Amino acid sequence: MKRELDALFRPRSVALVGASANPSKLSHVALQNLSTGHFRLYPVNPKNQEILGLRCYPSVLDIPDEVDLALISLPAELALEPLKECVRKRVGVVIVTASGFRESGDEGARRERELVEAVSGSETRLLGPNTMGILVPSIGLDTLFIPRDRSERPTAGSVALLSQSGAVSVSFLERARGAGVGISSCVGLGNMTDIDENELLGYLASDKDTRVIAIYLESFSDGRAFVDIVQRISPRKPVVILKSGRTQAGKRAASSHTGSLSASSEALVDGALAQAGATRVYDEEELVDTAKALAVLGKISGDRICVVASAGGYGVIAADLIESVERGAALSMAALAETTQRSLKGVMPGFSSVANPVDLTSLVTDEMYDSVLGVIQDDPGVDAIIMSLELQPPNVTDRLLEVAERRCRSGRTPIVVSVFAGERTDEVVKVFGQHGVLAYPTIWRAVRSLGALARRGSHLNMRK
Amino acid sequence: MKRELDALFRPRSVALVGASANPSKLSHVALQNLSTGHFRLYPVNPKNQEILGLRCYPSVLDIPDEVDLALISLPAELALEPLKECVRKRVGVVIVTASGFRESGDEGARRERELVEAVSGSETRLLGPNTMGILVPSIGLDTLFIPRDRSERPTAGSVALLSQSGAVSVSFLERARGAGVGISSCVGLGNMTDIDENELLGYLASDKDTRVIAIYLESFSDGRAFVDIVQRISPRKPVVILKSGRTQAGKRAASSHTGSLSASSEALVDGALAQAGATRVYDEEELVDTAKALAVLGKISGDRICVVASAGGYGVIAADLIESVERGAALSMAALAETTQRSLKGVMPGFSSVANPVDLTSLVTDEMYDSVLGVIQDDPGVDAIIMSLELQPPNVTDRLLEVAERRCRSGRTPIVVSVFAGERTDEVVKVFGQHGVLAYPTIWRAVRSLGALARRGSHLNMRK
């Protein structure tokens, strides 16, 4: 079934209104970024015949083709007329990027009402204004006006982001890239004058490329509708949300940022999101961390965690972070079965601890770690494992990375890796991410992700 | 005044007992790491005449020099005799690295008592057993048995670490290096059979190279003495502590790791540490983050924070993290003075927010950011500033890094930078650290550090 928003997510033809031949202009950057996409591209600018080797048209009305998606890259006061032309052209979706609308006071609010009137009752839908637009890596759709050498884009993958902040989008995309997480699409919501977060959620719900939906929101267009749709989506697709404007200061800041007024009480929002099965997070790093966990593992079926480390100290810190309610994830340390402990004794150094946390000591070898993970994956009393992977012990080699990957991808008890590899840590985490291994560079981020996975598992169980 | 522990921190001569000629042995790695230090070095091993070009002695007793510090790098069951020889030689401090003592059961406990008896009443002090020893970058003292290419060492600086876990030490050193934080010394406490954390704290209290003391501890040798000494030190030197074994699972894990039994109640420990003026942290990343904040800024004089960002979304997230008590640092957003807001209007784009958070929008330039910081540093109602530094906006250049550095080091209102620079972020944070600028790669870590600095400021005020 073809849907209206396909014009936004899967356009066959894209027009860029206000395309500039001047490389220092944002609209030139956007044209450059769009020029490698898998769709027909039409720059629009009455002053130019050709830009970047592409024929340039005076108006969208002059383009001898249907236009699915148009990007209007002009200042706020110049956006209305081109938008009206797009409506006449029956463009599917128009993105208005400029700021200077509702968020900037009365004059801007009047301008925004004019945009609404222009599309009202037409076949044309409006994304924005005040948005960076859309990124769909799989088809090279990239309306972001940031040069790629300033902010490299992630690869195609299964995580979608809806975001009311361009900067949060950029940070998300950069972190996703660094973590080896692929993106299905990233949409800047802007002022949500026409297309809003709920409609986009509805689209992503049945988008087969999207397995996890991440959201940054400062205010709801319609809170009740949002909760309803999340409740409907979340059993099949995890939804993780960074909802800011939690405090009075945050609400005031959101109001001057996106012109949005969030009257909703924080306790109410929190309860509603939890009941709908959304995972709530609190900063830009946790948003990517959690989306990654949900994309790689989805859930864990209980809260009994086993920690395996060659560094005793990490085992102790992990145990605290797992069990602590106030300063931790409120999970529990698994009690290992007698048979598990006996098997561990057979493969570990004499004076190591075969209780949980399992302490391999600095005498650890790749083979020892492999055997120990195998034994623990056999214990039905363990719902997930934290593997503290340290590359410093003398008898450990890079083959331990292969061991980790094989054990993590075995389809048996889920494993989250916390990586301690000095200056190589970030690279190891990234490659693991690309290979479908859930890994983080600190103990807390590994434990925190297990917390999110356990809450999702428990929520799904309750629904049964 | 010369003190006993100078032999540990400032040895003029070091013996390595059990030095091996075999490059795959830990004791060979330790010898290599020690060989570039600023002290006389004597390998001891009856089987060799020379190792790494150094003359090798059959026993410490054969060394024709006074020995300040001896490192015994032999298995647990072979450590006692060399220790006795060190006592006869009147070595100042002996480090026994091996594990397999109290932490490993009854047999080990017996061995540990023998070590104690050997040094009891002598002029020789014992560090360990079960420790990595000591790192003092300024004199190249490095007993760590990890090759430097597996774990690069930080530079000399003002932060000392006392740690009951070798892995936490290594992680701390690697993170410090990555954050541009210099280290005065790092001591592995091990089983604290003789020299314990309290004696080391006493030494560091008057060590002129040390300005901040970081501690990882699983149990106190004497909790009351610890609190007393921290209370005495902390007005002059900030103390930050990661005390693990907070939960029942953590306590059990600590017991099998370092053989320590922590009976103390968590609430009691927490209260005592807070009253003593120590800053408590909860994971290995926060330990370095907080030590860095204390080393660079020491404290802030109040809790009124102003946020400046070119990304509106970051401003909103920061405001929430600053004010939220449950999911934040429980600080407050400063109310900017009328005069400040007037001045800001003069230097910012028309529709930007001149309230707090100050939103420079994507039209930000280096000069604009500079002027805005200057105006806010003049506002007496602001105790500290979070500068969200984004390198993606089109009119920002690398000169913004210079602006940040100059403003941060102006000696006026303290600034913490949260850096958003894509793949360059880690490098920017590191260089800032080396230049005495407090910077972090996420908003939360910047806000959290301000929380620690404000608590310290408030603690110091209460003492007045």
Side-chain angles (χ1 to χ4, degrees):
Chain A
M1 192 189 83
K2 191 163 176 317
R3 295 172 303 157
E4 269 187 352
L5 293 188
D6 282 338
L8 175 63
F9 286 89
R10 305 268 178 272
R12 293 153 304 175
S13 56
V14 176
L16 173 51
V17 182
S20 171
N22 180 345
S24 73
K25 295 282 184 185
L26 299 186
S27 61
H28 186 87
V29 172
L31 186 67
Q32 221 158 12
N33 291 338
L34 286 167
S35 67
T36 51
H38 307 157
F39 40 76
R40 303 183 296 277
L41 179 61
Y42 303 106
V44 173
N45 188 335
K47 294 186 216 143
N48 292 80
Q49 297 274 317
E50 195 187 285
I51 308 176
L52 291 176
L54 293 163
R55 172 156 176 207
C56 198
Y57 296 86
S59 148
V60 282
L61 294 169
D62 300 310
I63 297 171
D65 186 5
E66 286 186 7
V67 174
D68 286 339
L69 177 64
L71 183 73
I72 299 182
S73 181
L74 290 166
E77 60 275 17
L78 300 180
L80 182 60
E81 287 313 312
L83 176 61
K84 286 180 177 170
E85 291 175 357
C86 288
V87 170
R88 295 224 302 275
K89 176 76 179 171
R90 297 183 169 181
V91 171
V93 172
V94 178
I95 302 173
V96 174
T97 60
S99 52
F101 289 91
R102 185 180 53 188
E103 79 286 0
S104 68
D106 291 345
E107 172 67 9
R110 188 190 53 73
R111 273 196 213 110
E112 189 159 320
R113 280 193 303 274
E114 289 175 344
L115 299 187
V116 177
E117 283 160 25
V119 296
S120 172
S122 78
E123 290 169 48
T124 300
R125 304 296 310 275
L126 174 65
L127 180 70
N130 192 15
T131 172
M132 296 181 73
I134 185 164
L135 175 78
V136 182
S138 63
I139 58 165
L141 178 61
D142 181 351
T143 71
L144 277 53
F145 44 77
I146 296 176
R148 288 188 184 148
D149 58 5
R150 284 218 163 186
S151 179
E152 283 197 74
R153 310 298 199 262
T155 53
S158 66
V159 176
L161 174 70
L162 303 177
S163 167
Q164 220 173 348
S165 153
V168 171
S169 299
V170 170
S171 151
F172 190 93
L173 296 172
E174 288 174 352
R175 286 175 196 279
R177 191 183 142 81
V181 172
I183 298 293
S184 58
S185 59
C186 167
V187 182
L189 297 167
N191 291 4
M192 302 195 284
T193 302
D194 175 24
I195 300 172
D196 65 15
E197 78 277 25
N198 295 330
E199 186 173 0
L200 289 161
L201 269 171
Y203 182 88
L204 293 173
S206 50
D207 175 36
K208 64 179 183 0
D209 290 348
T210 299
R211 292 201 303 130
V212 172
I213 303 170
I215 307 175
Y216 172 73
L217 218 54
E218 297 182 358
S219 63
F220 301 105
S221 301
D222 176 343
R224 178 160 296 278
F226 182 87
V227 169
D228 285 348
I229 194 166
V230 167
Q231 190 139 25
R232 188 164 57 75
I233 296 175
S234 70
R236 288 171 299 123
K237 292 191 187 184
V239 174
V240 51
I241 178 165
L242 173 52
K243 165 69 182 64
S244 68
R246 295 184 286 129
T247 59
Q248 287 310 314
K251 282 189 210 302
R252 278 194 305 272
S255 158
S256 68
H257 176 223
T258 42
S260 56
L261 269 172
S262 171
S264 40
S265 108
E266 174 55 19
L268 214 76
V269 169
D270 209 52
L273 290 175
Q275 219 191 325
T279 302
R280 188 164 187 187
V281 299
Y282 298 90
D283 73 10
E284 76 285 3
E285 183 174 77
E286 191 181 6
L287 185 62
V288 181
D289 279 1
T290 308
K292 176 162 104 166
L294 293 167
V296 176
L297 292 179
K299 60 158 189 165
I300 57 176
S301 52
D303 72 348
R304 300 164 302 173
I305 314 298
C306 180
V307 177
V308 189
S310 58
Y314 296 161
V316 184
I317 294 171
D320 279 339
L321 292 173
I322 285 167
E323 291 219 329
S324 174
V325 174
E326 291 201 332
R327 301 279 191 167
L331 300 164
S332 61
M333 289 286 280
L336 299 182
E338 291 269 340
T339 51
T340 304
Q341 301 204 29
R342 257 201 309 279
S343 304
L344 289 178
K345 280 207 178 93
V347 292
M348 284 170 59
F351 49 81
S352 306
S353 166
V354 295
N356 181 13
V358 177
D359 184 1
L360 297 168
T361 81
S362 58
L363 299 176
V364 61
T365 63
D366 306 336
E367 293 70 28
M368 195 191 298
Y369 217 137
D370 194 12
S371 311
V372 165
L373 287 176
V375 169
I376 293 166
Q377 283 189 314
D378 277 340
D379 189 325
V382 174
D383 297 308
I385 298 168
I386 288 200
M387 173 189 190
S388 177
L389 190 161
E390 297 114 33
L391 285 185
Q392 295 88 354
N395 301 322
V396 159
T397 73
D398 273 18
R399 287 210 4 255
L400 187 55
L401 301 174
E402 295 160 37
V403 167
E405 185 170 337
R406 183 163 38 76
R407 286 291 171 192
C408 287
R409 299 183 60 180
S410 63
R412 295 165 68 200
T413 309
I415 299 177
V416 180
V417 185
S418 71
V419 179
F420 292 88
E423 301 196 339
R424 293 174 59 196
T425 300
D426 289 343
E427 184 59 24
V428 169
V429 167
K430 181 177 182 173
V431 172
F432 271 157
Q434 289 164 342
H435 293 193
V437 172
L438 188 59
Y440 299 96
T442 78
I443 302 169
W444 169 235
R445 288 168 67 184
V447 171
R448 184 176 63 184
S449 81
L450 281 177
L453 292 170
R455 282 196 304 280
R456 178 161 168 79
S458 146
H459 183 80
L460 292 176
N461 277 340
M462 281 192 307
R463 293 178 50 96
K464 273 177 190 165
Chain B
M1 191 189 85
K2 189 162 175 323
R3 295 172 302 158
E4 270 187 352
L5 293 189
D6 281 339
L8 175 63
F9 287 89
R10 306 267 178 271
R12 292 153 305 176
S13 55
V14 176
L16 173 52
V17 182
S20 171
N22 180 346
S24 74
K25 295 280 184 187
L26 298 187
S27 61
H28 185 88
V29 173
L31 187 67
Q32 221 158 11
N33 290 338
L34 285 168
S35 66
T36 50
H38 307 156
F39 39 76
R40 303 183 295 278
L41 179 61
Y42 304 106
V44 173
N45 188 337
K47 293 184 218 145
N48 292 80
Q49 297 274 316
E50 195 187 285
I51 309 178
L52 289 176
L54 293 163
R55 173 155 178 208
C56 198
Y57 297 87
S59 148
V60 283
L61 294 169
D62 300 310
I63 297 171
D65 186 5
E66 286 187 7
V67 173
D68 285 339
L69 177 65
L71 182 74
I72 299 183
S73 180
L74 290 165
E77 60 277 17
L78 300 178
L80 183 61
E81 287 313 313
L83 176 61
K84 286 180 176 169
E85 291 176 356
C86 287
V87 169
R88 296 225 301 276
K89 176 76 179 171
R90 297 183 170 182
V91 171
V93 172
V94 179
I95 302 172
V96 175
T97 61
S99 53
F101 289 92
R102 185 182 50 187
E103 78 286 359
S104 68
D106 292 346
E107 172 67 9
R110 189 191 54 72
R111 275 198 211 106
E112 188 159 320
R113 280 193 301 276
E114 290 175 343
L115 299 186
V116 177
E117 282 160 23
V119 296
S120 172
S122 78
E123 292 169 47
T124 299
R125 304 297 307 277
L126 174 64
L127 180 71
N130 192 14
T131 172
M132 296 181 74
I134 185 165
L135 174 78
V136 182
S138 63
I139 59 167
L141 177 62
D142 180 352
T143 71
L144 278 52
F145 43 77
I146 296 176
R148 287 185 186 150
D149 59 4
R150 283 217 164 187
S151 180
E152 284 198 74
R153 311 298 200 259
T155 55
S158 65
V159 175
L161 175 70
L162 304 177
S163 168
Q164 218 172 348
S165 154
V168 171
S169 299
V170 170
S171 152
F172 190 92
L173 297 172
E174 288 174 353
R175 285 174 197 277
R177 190 182 143 81
V181 172
I183 297 294
S184 58
S185 58
C186 167
V187 182
L189 297 166
N191 291 4
M192 303 194 285
T193 303
D194 176 22
I195 300 173
D196 65 16
E197 78 277 27
N198 294 330
E199 186 173 2
L200 289 162
L201 269 173
Y203 182 89
L204 293 174
S206 50
D207 174 35
K208 65 179 180 0
D209 291 348
T210 298
R211 293 202 300 132
V212 172
I213 303 170
I215 307 174
Y216 172 73
L217 218 54
E218 296 182 358
S219 63
F220 301 105
S221 301
D222 177 343
R224 178 159 296 278
F226 181 86
V227 168
D228 285 349
I229 194 167
V230 168
Q231 190 139 29
R232 189 164 58 73
I233 296 174
S234 71
R236 288 171 298 123
K237 291 189 187 184
V239 175
V240 52
I241 179 165
L242 173 51
K243 166 69 182 65
S244 67
R246 295 184 284 129
T247 59
Q248 287 310 315
K251 283 187 209 302
R252 279 193 304 272
S255 157
S256 71
H257 176 221
T258 43
S260 55
L261 268 173
S262 171
S264 39
S265 106
E266 174 57 18
L268 215 76
V269 168
D270 209 52
L273 290 176
Q275 220 191 326
T279 302
R280 187 162 189 191
V281 298
Y282 299 88
D283 73 11
E284 76 284 5
E285 182 174 77
E286 191 182 6
L287 186 62
V288 181
D289 277 2
T290 308
K292 177 161 102 166
L294 294 167
V296 175
L297 292 179
K299 60 159 189 164
I300 57 176
S301 52
D303 71 349
R304 299 165 304 174
I305 314 300
C306 180
V307 177
V308 189
S310 58
Y314 296 161
V316 184
I317 295 171
D320 279 339
L321 292 172
I322 284 168
E323 290 218 330
S324 173
V325 174
E326 291 200 333
R327 300 280 190 167
L331 300 165
S332 61
M333 288 287 279
L336 300 183
E338 290 266 342
T339 51
T340 303
Q341 301 205 28
R342 257 201 309 278
S343 304
L344 288 178
K345 280 206 179 96
V347 294
M348 282 171 59
F351 49 81
S352 308
S353 167
V354 296
N356 182 12
V358 177
D359 183 359
L360 296 169
T361 80
S362 60
L363 300 175
V364 62
T365 63
D366 306 338
E367 294 70 28
M368 196 192 296
Y369 217 138
D370 194 12
S371 311
V372 164
L373 288 176
V375 168
I376 294 166
Q377 284 189 314
D378 276 341
D379 189 325
V382 174
D383 297 310
I385 298 167
I386 289 201
M387 174 190 189
S388 178
L389 191 161
E390 297 114 32
L391 285 186
Q392 294 89 351
N395 302 319
V396 159
T397 73
D398 273 18
R399 288 208 6 252
L400 187 56
L401 302 173
E402 295 161 36
V403 167
E405 185 170 336
R406 182 162 40 76
R407 287 289 171 194
C408 288
R409 301 183 59 180
S410 63
R412 296 164 69 200
T413 308
I415 298 176
V416 180
V417 185
S418 71
V419 178
F420 292 88
E423 299 196 340
R424 294 174 60 196
T425 299
D426 289 344
E427 183 61 24
V428 169
V429 167
K430 181 177 183 173
V431 172
F432 271 158
Q434 290 164 340
H435 293 193
V437 172
L438 187 59
Y440 299 96
T442 78
I443 303 170
W444 169 236
R445 290 166 68 184
V447 171
R448 184 175 65 183
S449 81
L450 281 177
L453 292 170
R455 283 196 302 280
R456 179 161 168 79
S458 145
H459 183 81
L460 291 176
N461 276 340
M462 282 191 307
R463 295 177 48 96
K464 272 180 189 162

